[in-house]
């Protein structure tokens, strides 16, 4: 039997009826139509499904929608400001940190959490923070450089 | 792939959760914390090599994958080791395909890290691995547990996974369990009829198996007051720094009578070298009462290696694991000792 939950996604409150077994990922993509968040492995290994749940980077594939009842969710769609890519997103584009782009939504959300907690991370802290987000294309170097660029900019 | 069908119950108190576990026991009910083990296990039936096969039943012919509740998995399937956790659980239809999950996420009583007036520490079972990793109290006085949290999975796994889940899942390599055992942790288990305390080392009984009875919840983990001149550390040896299960994990806790020794008490716990985490009891016999010298530490490390009961698998051979237990134990004994000396 479906259950009614309420949650705020990217600033918009929703009340939705979900099957108990529905994951937060399925809710976001299929019920709310926010397809920026991707599904990869479905078992916590790749991180491409990462969203912020009450500000915490969370794999949405292993989180039940019911567990997000009453919570605030931020997805990659929330990052752009007034239709413009935000500093972090622009840095990913500029530094060539995106190839196929499949890991990008998760990388951006994980990094968003990191930078809120620690606006000037060391390289080692960046590498550790993204160690649950797999990228099969870039070899990570460009991603690390993009994140560094984004944090340097914020010094100005 | 969708998860199998189940209903989710959301209690707000421990008592309500216990009542639900008792009420729905006959239908098949599992506890859901962070879900990083449970939801993976519940999804697993599509991965053929992980799945019990049918002996031949009305639903599936011989050898087909047992995907549904009504199937009896084959006893002859080599993947169905008699003590094997996931497999045994999958073999128990109520556990493999529970009708109900009791999700603990709204129970505030199960959350938080709290210094007790006695000086000990209480960690609620629902505390995430990330919260443990970031706790300055734990890093200072129960260091081995902070090391365990640092090394578990990835940041995303740590943000979701809980200490209670890592313990209840009862894997021999569980990265927060090995330190909890070395630190002399105690677990509180509560059901609708009883509350009891179990030493962390007595909790696991086999891979995925424990003394937890149906209907019981791990509510909190208690770590004893740190003694003067004591210290601890954990080292996870694995092929990668993230998203890897350990080949060998060693946790050491030690107390000196005074700086320079003699050793008053010591506990060494070993991960991934037996069907459960192992408390290497021989180490105490070598070290307690002795002034720590290089020679005696080497002897103690050999004793720890003698207590390991590893198997060969894709992460390492039994022989290699025994060697690594010896090396890591020696290294950790030395680093804990120098930590205690530098602290004074
Ligand atoms: C990608 C990935 C990597 C991982 N890497 C590691 C690793 O490196 N090291 C490691 O040790 N583990 C690892 N794990 C396993 C897992 O993350 C941990 O065991 C975690 O601590 C489990 O906690 P949870 O809250 O998610 O448990 P859940 O999945 O919610 O529950 C696990 C089991 O414990 C039971 N349970 C949970 N809480 C309680 C409670 N309070 N009382 C009674 N029973 C309870 C559940 O019913 C279930 O059987 C990994 C998992 C994933 C997905
Ligand atoms: S899809 Fe969620 S971690 Fe891979
Ligand atoms: S850009 Fe292709 S996976 Fe990262």
């Amino acid at each position: 039997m479906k259950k009614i939950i309420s949650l705020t996604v990217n600033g918009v409150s929703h009340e939705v009826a979900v099957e108990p077994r529905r994951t937060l990922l399925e809710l976001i993509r299929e019920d709310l139509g926010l397809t920026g968040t991707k599904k990869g492995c479905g078992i916590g290994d790749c991180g491409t499904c990462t969203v912020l749940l009450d500000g915490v980077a969370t794999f949405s594939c292993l989180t039940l929608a019911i567990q997000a009842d009453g919570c605030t969710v931020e997805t990659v769609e929330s990052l752009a400001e007034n239709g413009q890519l935000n500093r972090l997103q622009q840095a990913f584009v500029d530094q060539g940190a995106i190839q196929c782009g499949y890991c990008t939504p998760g990388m951006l959300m994980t990094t968003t959490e990191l930078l809120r907690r620690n606006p000037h991370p060391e390289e080692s802290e960046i590498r550790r923070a993204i160690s649950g987000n797999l990228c099969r294309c870039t070899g990570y170097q460009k991603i690390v450089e993009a994140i560094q660029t984004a944090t340097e900019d914020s010094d100005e | 792939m969708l998860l199998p069908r189940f209903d989710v119950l959301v209690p707000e108190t421990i008592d309500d959760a216990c009542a639900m576990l008792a009420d729905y026991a006959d239908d098949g009910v599992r506890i859901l914390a962070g879900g990083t083990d449970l939801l993976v296990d519940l999804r697993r039936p599509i991965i053929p090599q992980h799945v019990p096969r049918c002996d031949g039943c009305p639903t599936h012919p011989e050898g087909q994958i047992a995907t549904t509740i009504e199937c009896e998995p084959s006893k002859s399937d080599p993947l169905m080791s008699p003590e094997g956790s996931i497999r045994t659980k999958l073999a128990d239809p109520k556990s493999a395909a529970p009708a109900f999950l009791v999700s603990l996420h709204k129970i505030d009583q199960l959350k938080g890290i709290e210094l007790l007036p006695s000086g000990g520490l209480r960690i609620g079972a629902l505390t995430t691995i990330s919260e443990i990793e970031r706790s300055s109290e734990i890093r200072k006085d129960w260091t081995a547990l902070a090391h365990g949290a640092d090394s578990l999975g990835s940041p995303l796994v740590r943000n979701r996974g809980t200490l209670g889940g890592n313990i209840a899942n009862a894997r021999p390599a569980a990265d927060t369990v090995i330190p909890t055992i070395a630190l002399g942790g105690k677990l509180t288990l509560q059901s609708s009829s009883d509350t009891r305390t179990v030493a962390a080392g007595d909790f696991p009984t086999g891979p995925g198996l424990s003394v937890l009875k149906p209907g019981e919840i791990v509510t909190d983990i208690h770590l004893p007051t740190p003694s003067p001149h004591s210290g601890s550390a954990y080292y996870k040896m694995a092929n990668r720094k993230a998203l890897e299960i350990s080949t060998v994990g060693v946790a050491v806790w030690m107390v000196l009578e005074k700086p320079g020794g003699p050793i008053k008490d010591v506990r060494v716990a070993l991960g991934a070298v037996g069907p459960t985490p192992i408390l290497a009891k021989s180490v105490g016999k070598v070290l307690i009462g002795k002034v720590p010298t290089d020679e005696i530490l080497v002897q103690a490390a050999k004793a720890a290696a003698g207590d390991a009961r590893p198997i060969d698998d894709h992460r390492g051979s039994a022989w290699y694991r025994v060697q690594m237990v010896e090396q890591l134990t020696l290294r950790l004994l030395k680093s804990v000792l120098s930590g205690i000396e530098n602290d004074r």
Side-chain angles (χ1 to χ4, degrees), chain B residues 58-83:
Chain B
T59 329
H60 295 118
E62 175 91 31
Q64 273 209 358
I65 295 165
T67 46
T68 52
I69 316 179
E70 59 268 31
C71 290
E72 270 287 312
S74 158
K75 313 223 167 22
S76 56
D77 187 331
L79 286 164
M80 300 266 312
S81 64
E83 81 290 359

Side-chain angles (χ1 to χ4, degrees), chain A residues 25 38-50 59-62 132, chain B residues 156:
Chain A
L25 176 68
K38 302 300 178 211
K39 176 172 181 187
C41 63
I43 52 171
D45 282 324
C46 76
T48 190
C49 64
T50 305
F59 32 49
S60 56
C61 69
L62 285 185
Chain B
L156 294 170

Side-chain angles (χ1 to χ4, degrees), chain B residues 78-91:
Chain B
L79 286 164
M80 300 266 312
S81 64
E83 81 290 359
S85 65
I86 293 161
R87 281 139 205 162
T88 313
K89 281 187 189 157
L90 275 174

Side-chain angles (χ1 to χ4, degrees), chain A residues 7 18 30 44 58 64 78 89 96 108 110 121 125 134-135 137:
Chain A
L7 72 176
V18 293
E30 292 163 28
T58 299
L64 295 181
S78 70
Q89 291 172 303
L108 288 169
T110 300
E125 291 170 321
L134 298 196
C135 176
C137 302

Side-chain angles (χ1 to χ4, degrees), chain B residues 283 286-287 291-306 325-327 329-331 333-334 337:
Chain B
V283 176
V286 178
L287 287 183
V291 173
T293 59
D294 279 357
E295 204 183 1
I296 200 141
L297 295 182
V298 168
Q299 255 184 55
K302 284 197 198 306
V325 167
E326 184 176 334
Q327 292 310 318
T329 305
L330 181 60
R331 210 188 280 180
L333 285 169
K334 286 184 176 171
L337 265 172

Side-chain angles (χ1 to χ4, degrees), chain B residues 16-334:
Chain B
D16 284 353
C18 291
M20 288 171 181
L21 290 173
D23 289 350
Y24 294 99
D26 292 342
D27 303 288
V29 59
R30 297 280 299 270
I31 296 168
L32 174 66
T36 62
D37 279 311
L38 181 61
L39 296 181
V40 174
D41 285 356
L42 292 181
R43 266 192 209 286
R44 204 157 260 178
I46 53 158
I47 306 173
Q49 63 270 32
H50 285 291
V51 170
R53 315 260 157 181
C54 284
D55 261 337
C57 68
T59 329
H60 295 118
E62 175 91 31
Q64 273 209 358
I65 295 165
T67 46
T68 52
I69 316 179
E70 59 268 31
C71 290
E72 270 287 312
S74 158
K75 313 223 167 22
S76 56
D77 187 331
L79 286 164
M80 300 266 312
S81 64
E83 81 290 359
S85 65
I86 293 161
R87 281 139 205 162
T88 313
K89 281 187 189 157
L90 275 174
D92 168 13
K94 279 190 204 149
S95 193
F100 294 94
L101 302 186
V102 172
S103 179
L104 306 179
H105 68 279
K106 292 228 162 130
I107 308 183
D108 290 337
Q109 297 158 288
L110 290 176
K111 298 177 188 168
I113 300 171
E114 184 191 357
L115 278 171
L116 300 172
S118 64
L121 191 75
R122 179 205 150 262
I123 308 174
L126 210 55
T127 304
T128 64
I129 308 298
S130 289
E131 285 162 344
I132 291 170
E133 193 186 3
R134 290 184 196 136
S135 155
S136 51
E137 285 95 0
I138 293 179
R139 196 160 295 274
K140 177 171 167 288
D141 284 335
W142 295 276
T143 313
L145 182 57
H147 293 168
D150 290 341
S151 71
L152 190 147
S154 72
L156 294 170
V157 178
R158 297 194 281 274
N159 280 352
R160 224 39 224 150
T162 64
L163 181 58
N166 200 220
I167 291 170
N169 208 50
R171 304 306 312 172
D175 284 306
T176 62
V177 175
I178 318 303
T180 302
I181 292 173
L183 290 165
K186 291 201 164 63
L187 317 176
T188 309
L189 314 183
Q190 189 176 329
S191 69
S192 56
S193 58
D194 190 25
T195 300
R196 58 185 179 130
T197 305
V198 182
D202 294 337
F203 182 83
T205 54
L209 303 175
S210 71
V211 300
L212 196 75
K213 294 183 201 142
E216 268 183 333
I217 299 178
V218 180
T219 58
D220 45 42
I221 294 86
H222 181 267
L223 298 177
T225 316
S227 319
H229 320 302
S230 69
S232 68
Y234 172 69
Y235 189 86
K236 169 179 184 170
M237 198 190 80
N239 287 330
R240 294 179 302 203
K241 287 188 194 145
L243 288 169
E244 186 63 288
I245 300 300
S246 64
T247 308
V248 172
V250 178
V252 166
W253 168 86
M254 189 171 10
V255 194
L256 303 183
E257 269 169 33
K258 56 178 197 294
I263 294 168
K264 194 172 169 188
D265 204 356
V266 62
R267 272 190 298 265
V268 173
L270 311 176
V273 290
T276 63
I278 291 176
L279 185 61
K281 294 202 171 119
S282 322
V283 176
K285 291 181 193 137
V286 178
L287 287 183
I288 292 173
K290 307 277 171 48
V291 173
T293 59
D294 279 357
E295 204 183 1
I296 200 141
L297 295 182
V298 168
Q299 255 184 55
K302 284 197 198 306
D307 286 349
R309 293 282 171 272
I311 51 164
D312 293 325
D313 73 8
H314 63 283
R315 295 199 173 85
S317 67
W319 177 86
Y320 177 68
R321 286 180 149 123
V322 171
Q323 308 306 309
M324 290 306 108
V325 167
E326 184 176 334
Q327 292 310 318
L328 294 177
T329 305
L330 181 60
R331 210 188 280 180
L332 287 173
L333 285 169
K334 286 184 176 171

